Amino acid sequence: MKTVLMVAEKPSLAQSIAKILSKGSCSSRKGLNGACSVHEYTGTFNGQSMRFKMTSVCGHVMSLDFIGKYNNWDKVDPAELFSKAPTEKKEANPKLNMVKFLQVEAKACDYVVLWLDCDKEGENICFEVLDAIEPVMNRPYGGEKTVYRAKFSSITDTDIWAAMNKLGEPNRNEALSVDARQELDLRIGCAFTRFQTKYFQGKYGNLDSSLISFGPCQTPTLGFCVERHDKIQSFKPETYWVIQAKVFKGKDSPLTLDWDRVRVFDREVGQMFVNMTKTSKDAKVESVSKKEKAKQRPLALNTVEMLRVASSSLGMGPQHTMQIAERLYTQGYISYPRTETNHYHDNFDLKGTLRQQASNPFWAQEVKALLSDGLNRPRKGADAGDHPPITPMRAASEGELGSDGWRLYEYIVRHFIATVSQDCKYLQTVISFSIATEGFSCSGKTLISPGFTEVMPWLGIPLEEAMPVCERGDVFTVEEVKLVERLTCPPDYLTEADLITLMEKHGIGTDASIPVHINNISQRNYVTLESGRKLKPTNLGIVLVHGYYKTDAELVLPTIRSAVEKQLNLIAQGKANYQQVLQHTLDIFKRKFHYFFDSIASMDELMEASFSPIASTGKPLSRCGKCHRFMKYIQAKPSRLHCAGCDETYSLPQNGAIKLYKELRCPLDEFELVLWTSGSRGKSYPLCPYCFSNPPFRDMKKGMGCNECTHPSCQHSLNSLGIAQCVECEAGVLVLDPNSGPKWKMACNKCNVMVHFFEQAHRVQVALESCDLCEASLVAVDFNKTRSPLPDGETQHRGCVFCDPVFQDLVELKHATMRHPSMTRGGGARRGGRGRGRGRREKKPKDKMAALAAYFV
C-alpha cells in the first residue's frame, strides 16, 4: 500500500485536519523531535486505498543567515554584506531537528500533500519542506505527479474536504518573492545596523539601546512617528475668534448657533461682526432642510482593519492581536486572519455562517431577525485574490476563549453580522438663521432605523435634543451674542491605529509584517507606548530619523521601500525576475550605504548635541588591567565598562545587575572581576571584563564568564567550582556560586536550572575528589554547631550532592528567575565534574540524567 505524507504549518492544525479527513478514526504518536505529532489513518487518494501520515512543522523550517565568519561584527566590513558575504539556509530552530524529523517521516512515502498556510510565507515553507523530504521519498514512475498543494481558508469540514478534492501545486514564484525579501532585509538591515551600532555605541554612553538597528521597513515606520512629532514641536498656536449666538422661542430651551463664517484671526474684525449682529434682537429662520441620510455598514473585515480596531477600541497591540487571531484560527473559530481582501464572493455561504451565531444570547435577536427578514448583500470591497475576509466559523463562549480571545472574537462576529445588516438611517435637520447681516445655523440628527448599529452600538447615532419645530420666516429671540477667543491645537501623537493606516497607505510591510515592524521600533527604544496607545518617539528615535534626513532622506521616506514591495509582488506574480530584482535593489542600497558611511559625521553632529560622550558617562566601578585606572560602569543599554585611560569599551552580560567582586583580579590579565546577578532569586557569576570580550582559550566563546572559563588553576573558574553535568540541559555544568552563602546554591552555566543546598552552612567548597558512582565532584560542607542538620551533631561532611544519603534532604532543584529569556545561552563543551587534571568527562547516559533529575523532584 502506498503512503501519502501530509504536512501542516502547526501541530494543532495537523491534528484538526487529520481529525476531519479521517472522520475521527486516526491514531496518533509523538514524532522524534517531541514537538510534532504524527496522525495516521487509511483512506482513498487518486482512486486508490492508501496509508496517510499527517504531521506538521512549527513555522519556517529554515532561516537565512550569513556563513559563520561573516557573523563576526569585529572582523567583517559591513559593506561586504551587500555582495561578497555568502548566505546559507540554516535550520530555523536547531533544537527541533525539523529536517531530520521530516526525513524520517517522509522515508518511503510516495506522495506529499502540503497543508501550509495559504499565503506567500506558506508557499515558501512548502519548498523548505520539499527540499528536506524529496531526497528520501520514493521515486515517481515516469512523469507521475507526487507533490500536491491544498488551498484552504478555514478549519471546517466543508473547507478542508473541498481543499482535499481540489489539490493544486505549490507556487514557486510566491516562494521566490519571500526569498528575495528575506535576503534584502538580511543584507541591508545587517550592514546598516552593524555600522551605526558600532559607530555610535563606541562614542556615546547614554543611548539606552542595545542595538541601533536599521530596517528597510522598520525605519520608514519610525519616520512616520517622528514626522508627527516634528509637526507637534514646530506647531505655533494661533489665537482666533468665533461668534457664539444663543436664541430661543417661547418657553423652549435656548439653541446655540454656529457662525457661518466659522472663525476670524483678527479680534477687531470679529468685534466688528459682533457689533453688527447685536443691532438686531431677532433671529429670522431663513430655511429648514430635512434630509434622510445613511451611515454605511462596514466592509468585510481584513487584517489591517482588524489590527486598527483592536488597537483603538480593544486596547490590544498589533502583535498581540495577531497572536490571538492565529490561535482562534488554528482552533477553528475564525477563518484565516491574514488577508487583504474585504469582499465576499457571490458563492460565499453568508446565511450558513450567520445561522451558526443564532444561539448566542449577545446577538441572537439580531441574527434571528436577519435570518427571518433576509440578509442584506455585503458592500462590494476589494478582492486581493488571497483569502476571504476574516469571518467567524463556529459559535463560541467567553469560557472557551479566555478574556482577550473572546473580546477579539466578539468583535469579528459583530463585524460580520454588521456587513449583512441594513445601513443605519437617520434624519438630518439643518435650520439656517440670519441675525442682522450675519448667517448662523444649527443641526441635529434623529434616528430612523438603527440597522447595523444594533450589533455595533458604539458606531450608533448619539441621542440629541430634539430640534425645535419651525419653518421659514419664523422669528426667534436673540438671548446672547458674544465673541469667544480660542487657540488652534497641535496634532496629537500617532496612535498604533494611525500608524497602521499610514503603513498600509504607503505600502510599508505586509498585513503579516506590519505588527512586527511596530513592535520592533518599540523594542529598540525608538518609541514609547503612551496612554491611548499613542507612539511617542524617544530622543534616540528622533535623532536617528533627523540624521537620515540629513544624510539621505530616502533611507527614511516610504517611497523606496514601497517601490521594492511592488517589485517583490511582481516576482510573486511571475512578472519580474528574482535575481534581477534582488541585484538591482542591493546595488541601490549598497551605493546608499557608502554615501551614508562617508556622511556619518553629519548624523554624528546631531548625536553629539543629544547624548553624552562615553568617557563622561557612568560611575567608576573596577580597575583596568592595562592602565590600572578605574573603569566606568555604564548602566544604559547596552551596559558596559569603559576605560577612559585606554579608550577601550568592554561588553558585559545584559539584563542584570553588575557590581565589584571583592576586588579580586583575573590571573591572566589583572582586570578586576565583576559579579553579574539576575537578582536574589536568580543566578550570579563573576567574570573578567577583558576575557568576556576576548576569550583566552580556544574552547571558550565571547560572552563567557568565570563559570565557563577553562583556566586550569584559577579559583573562580569552571575547573575549580564545577560540580556535575546539568540535570536538564544538554551542554551545561552545575557550578558552585561561592558568593551565595548562607543560602548556598549551584547553577547551570548554560540554562536557568539552580540547585539550592546546605542552607545556613558556614562554608561550602568543591573538593578534589570525585564520586565513584556518578563522577560528580565531591562537596565539603562546614556547618556551625548550633545550626548543623548533619546526623549526630556533626558539623562537617564531605560527599556527593547526588549520591550521598546524608545530603538527600538538604538539596532542592529550582529554576532561576531570569530577567529576560535571552539570558539563557546554548553551546559550549559539556563536562562532568570539574575535570581538574582529568580532562573532559564523557557524556552520561540519558537514563542516568533522568535519574538525577528525578532525585531532585
Side-chain angles (χ1 to χ4, degrees):
M1 185 182 290
K2 290 185 176 181
T3 304
V4 181
L5 177 69
M6 303 197 293
V7 185
E9 193 155 321
K10 295 184 180 73
S12 55
L13 274 178
Q15 183 179 6
S16 300
I17 294 168
K19 191 175 179 182
I20 292 169
L21 294 177
S22 68
K23 298 178 182 176
S25 63
C26 61
S27 61
S28 301
R29 58 179 169 83
K30 275 284 182 186
L32 67 84
N33 64 2
C36 303
S37 296
V38 183
H39 313 280
E40 297 175 294
Y41 65 96
T42 303
T44 304
F45 186 75
N46 286 346
Q48 300 178 44
S49 179
M50 295 196 189
R51 176 174 167 244
F52 287 83
K53 291 167 69 175
M54 181 80 194
T55 188
S56 73
V57 291
C58 296
H60 274 282
V61 179
M62 311 299 286
S63 62
L64 189 71
D65 200 358
F66 296 111
I67 63 170
K69 71 174 187 176
Y70 285 94
N71 283 317
N72 189 320
W73 286 37
D74 298 323
K75 295 181 181 178
V76 176
D77 180 354
E80 293 182 25
L81 302 180
F82 285 98
S83 52
K84 288 186 181 178
T87 59
E88 62 179 344
K89 291 273 191 178
K90 299 177 180 177
E91 281 205 53
N93 189 342
K95 290 182 180 178
L96 290 178
N97 286 317
M98 193 60 72
V99 171
K100 184 179 178 183
F101 163 69
L102 289 171
Q103 289 177 341
V104 167
E105 297 302 333
K107 193 171 184 181
C109 285
D110 301 279
Y111 305 96
V112 60
V113 180
L114 299 161
W115 289 86
L116 286 308
D117 286 353
C118 299
D119 55 13
K120 291 170 189 170
E121 295 290 336
E123 298 302 322
N124 191 262
I125 300 172
C126 281
F127 287 95
E128 292 175 356
V129 171
L130 290 175
D131 288 343
I133 66 173
E134 282 189 318
V136 299
M137 288 178 63
N138 288 338
R139 292 179 179 272
Y141 296 104
E144 185 186 16
K145 183 178 176 181
T146 58
V147 177
Y148 295 87
R149 175 74 163 111
K151 294 278 186 177
F152 59 103
S153 296
S154 63
I155 315 301
T156 62
D157 291 22
T158 304
D159 215 6
I160 295 303
W161 275 110
M164 190 66 182
N165 292 328
K166 196 179 178 181
L167 296 173
E169 296 179 4
N171 189 318
R172 172 69 72 177
N173 290 327
E174 288 191 358
L176 284 174
S177 74
V178 174
D179 284 338
R181 178 181 282 107
Q182 287 178 350
E183 187 163 349
L184 289 174
D185 289 350
L186 176 71
R187 292 186 182 277
I188 296 166
C190 285
F192 279 91
T193 297
R194 289 187 192 184
F195 170 62
Q196 64 187 26
T197 299
K198 290 196 71 179
Y199 187 90
F200 292 121
Q201 282 187 352
K203 292 191 72 173
Y204 304 103
N206 58 339
L207 297 175
D208 201 25
S209 181
S210 53
L211 193 71
I212 305 175
S213 63
F214 174 94
C217 286
Q218 171 194 299
T219 304
T221 302
L222 174 62
F224 291 131
C225 299
V226 175
E227 183 184 13
R228 176 60 63 88
H229 169 83
D230 291 343
K231 285 180 180 177
I232 294 169
Q233 295 302 307
S234 61
F235 183 85
K236 292 180 180 178
E238 284 188 86
T239 306
Y240 67 93
W241 288 265
V242 299
I243 295 177
Q244 195 175 82
K246 284 187 179 180
V247 300
F248 67 94
K249 183 181 181 184
K251 295 181 180 180
D252 291 343
S253 299
L255 287 174
T256 300
L257 306 183
D258 298 318
W259 189 25
D260 287 355
R261 296 182 192 273
V262 184
R263 63 185 178 179
V264 292
F265 287 89
D266 188 315
R267 191 182 190 286
E268 291 184 5
V269 172
Q271 191 60 53
M272 178 192 72
F273 284 122
V274 168
N275 294 338
M276 291 166 59
T277 306
K278 282 184 174 180
T279 60
S280 174
K281 290 293 182 182
D282 294 330
K284 184 181 177 183
V285 177
E286 297 293 337
S287 66
V288 179
S289 72
K290 293 187 177 184
K291 191 177 286 185
E292 187 177 307
K293 291 194 171 182
K295 188 173 187 178
Q296 282 192 309
R297 61 199 181 281
L299 288 164
L301 187 63
N302 63 12
T303 305
V304 169
E305 182 62 17
M306 178 183 71
L307 295 176
R308 265 198 293 257
V309 173
S311 176
S312 60
S313 301
L314 304 181
M316 291 160 52
Q319 194 156 40
H320 180 53
T321 301
M322 282 310 301
Q323 288 169 351
I324 293 170
E326 284 172 8
R327 177 167 60 83
L328 293 175
Y329 162 65
T330 56
Q331 291 174 343
Y333 291 105
I334 64 171
S335 62
Y336 192 62
R338 290 194 176 102
T339 177
E340 296 174 21
T341 295
N342 57 6
H343 171 72
Y344 285 111
H345 286 295
D346 292 339
N347 59 354
F348 191 91
D349 185 11
L350 296 168
K351 202 165 189 176
T353 304
L354 188 64
R355 195 177 287 115
Q356 291 178 337
Q357 301 297 331
S359 59
N360 193 303
F362 289 103
W363 43 74
Q365 187 176 339
E366 291 82 359
V367 169
K368 287 174 182 175
L370 281 169
L371 290 171
S372 172
D373 301 339
L375 279 61
N376 191 20
R377 188 71 206 159
R379 288 168 58 198
K380 187 172 177 62
D383 184 357
D386 49 359
H387 287 271
I390 302 167
T391 309
M393 300 313 296
R394 62 186 173 100
S397 65
E398 186 172 359
E400 293 173 64
L401 306 182
S403 175
D404 283 352
W406 168 254
R407 288 165 64 221
L408 185 61
Y409 174 80
E410 180 184 9
Y411 171 73
I412 292 168
V413 174
R414 288 184 181 275
H415 190 109
F416 169 72
I417 298 170
T419 62
V420 294
S421 299
Q422 297 293 327
D423 291 344
C424 172
K425 293 176 182 175
Y426 60 93
L427 185 69
Q428 179 155 311
T429 305
V430 179
I431 306 174
S432 298
F433 293 86
S434 63
I435 307 175
T437 58
E438 288 305 292
F440 295 84
S441 66
C442 66
S443 64
K445 296 172 183 173
T446 307
L447 184 66
I448 298 172
S449 169
F452 77 92
T453 62
E454 282 192 312
V455 287
M456 301 179 90
W458 61 91
L459 296 177
I461 303 298
L463 288 172
E464 297 177 353
E465 283 191 37
M467 297 291 287
V469 177
C470 60
E471 56 186 37
R472 184 178 179 185
D474 285 357
V475 176
F476 283 62
T477 303
V478 177
E479 180 180 277
E480 178 186 46
V481 175
K482 64 180 179 179
L483 192 66
V484 180
E485 181 181 307
R486 290 179 182 163
L487 280 175
T488 55
C489 297
D492 211 339
Y493 283 104
L494 291 178
T495 62
E496 286 173 330
D498 296 332
L499 183 56
I500 290 166
T501 301
L502 285 170
M503 293 174 74
E504 183 192 31
K505 177 183 175 183
H506 293 280
I508 300 299
T510 63
D511 51 6
S513 66
I514 282 174
V516 177
H517 302 315
I518 295 175
N519 186 61
N520 281 345
I521 62 173
S522 184
Q523 293 288 316
R524 299 285 184 262
N525 195 34
Y526 294 161
V527 298
T528 56
L529 188 62
E530 306 290 315
S531 61
R533 304 205 72 84
K534 292 171 188 168
L535 298 164
K536 185 178 180 181
T538 62
N539 204 20
L540 178 59
I542 294 164
V543 171
L544 280 175
V545 169
H546 289 174
Y548 294 134
Y549 272 117
K550 204 172 179 183
T551 53
D552 182 356
E554 283 192 334
L555 292 176
V556 73
L557 289 171
T559 47
I560 192 164
R561 182 61 193 194
S562 180
V564 171
E565 288 289 348
K566 287 175 182 173
Q567 291 297 310
L568 294 175
N569 285 332
L570 289 175
I571 294 174
Q573 295 164 20
K575 297 177 180 177
N577 181 272
Y578 162 77
Q579 283 295 344
Q580 288 177 353
V581 170
L582 188 65
Q583 197 56 53
H584 176 67
T585 307
L586 287 175
D587 287 345
I588 291 171
F589 274 95
K590 186 176 181 180
R591 288 196 293 271
K592 287 186 174 297
F593 176 81
H594 284 296
Y595 183 76
F596 180 69
F597 182 91
D598 294 337
S599 310
I600 194 67
S602 60
M603 182 185 269
D604 196 25
E605 289 173 6
L606 299 176
M607 286 283 189
E608 201 171 333
S610 302
F611 299 102
S612 304
I614 197 167
S616 61
T617 309
K619 296 178 180 178
L621 179 70
S622 64
R623 290 186 184 273
C624 171
K626 296 178 180 178
C627 67
H628 301 289
R629 294 176 181 172
F630 275 104
M631 298 188 292
K632 285 187 174 181
Y633 171 45
I634 299 164
Q635 277 188 287
K637 290 181 182 178
S639 58
R640 53 210 190 276
L641 287 167
H642 178 73
C643 177
C646 304
D647 194 23
E648 292 279 354
T649 303
Y650 300 98
S651 300
L652 292 171
Q654 303 300 303
N655 306 300
I658 294 285
K659 55 186 178 182
L660 191 61
Y661 187 59
K662 304 177 184 178
E663 297 186 2
L664 297 170
R665 294 178 182 268
C666 174
L668 294 171
D669 49 46
E670 288 295 302
F671 274 73
E672 280 188 334
L673 302 182
V674 294
L675 183 75
W676 176 88
T677 175
S678 65
S680 59
R681 293 190 298 164
K683 288 169 62 173
S684 61
Y685 58 84
L687 63 111
C688 165
Y690 186 82
C691 295
F692 191 78
S693 298
N694 304 277
F697 303 110
R698 284 184 181 180
D699 56 354
M700 289 180 65
K701 297 178 181 177
K702 265 189 178 184
M704 288 186 169
C706 297
N707 63 344
E708 295 181 80
C709 177
T710 52
H711 191 290
S713 59
C714 174
Q715 61 177 322
H716 317 294
S717 72
L718 171 65
N719 278 358
S720 298
L721 298 175
I723 293 176
Q725 286 175 256
C726 177
V727 296
E728 286 196 12
C729 75
E730 288 292 317
V733 177
L734 293 169
V735 181
L736 175 67
D737 182 350
N739 204 47
S740 59
K743 295 185 177 181
W744 298 93
K745 59 192 175 189
M746 58 180 175
C748 177
N749 58 8
K750 299 292 184 186
C751 72
N752 65 344
V753 164
M754 279 197 320
V755 178
H756 289 261
F757 52 15
F758 316 129
E759 190 168 342
Q760 302 301 332
H762 173 64
R763 185 185 297 110
V764 177
Q765 293 178 313
V766 182
L768 291 170
E769 301 84 6
S770 296
C771 174
D772 293 333
L773 294 175
C774 69
E775 295 191 350
S777 295
L778 301 186
V779 176
V781 187
D782 187 355
F783 283 96
N784 289 324
K785 261 189 178 182
T786 56
R787 293 186 174 183
S788 176
L790 299 176
D792 302 325
E794 292 183 6
T795 59
Q796 295 181 344
H797 187 79
R798 179 181 301 218
C800 175
V801 171
F802 304 102
C803 306
D804 195 322
V806 174
F807 286 159
Q808 187 165 355
D809 295 328
L810 306 179
V811 181
E812 180 186 4
L813 175 70
K814 285 191 176 181
H815 286 80
T817 302
M818 309 303 281
R819 295 197 182 181
H820 194 275
S822 63
M823 279 309 306
T824 56
R825 293 195 305 269
R830 181 175 185 167
R831 296 175 181 82
R834 293 166 293 152
R836 179 182 293 170
R838 295 190 296 271
R840 295 181 184 175
R841 301 282 184 189
E842 293 180 3
K843 291 186 180 180
K844 294 186 172 55
K846 291 284 182 183
D847 56 345
K848 176 65 177 176
M849 294 304 295
L852 292 175
Y855 173 83
F856 290 118
V857 176

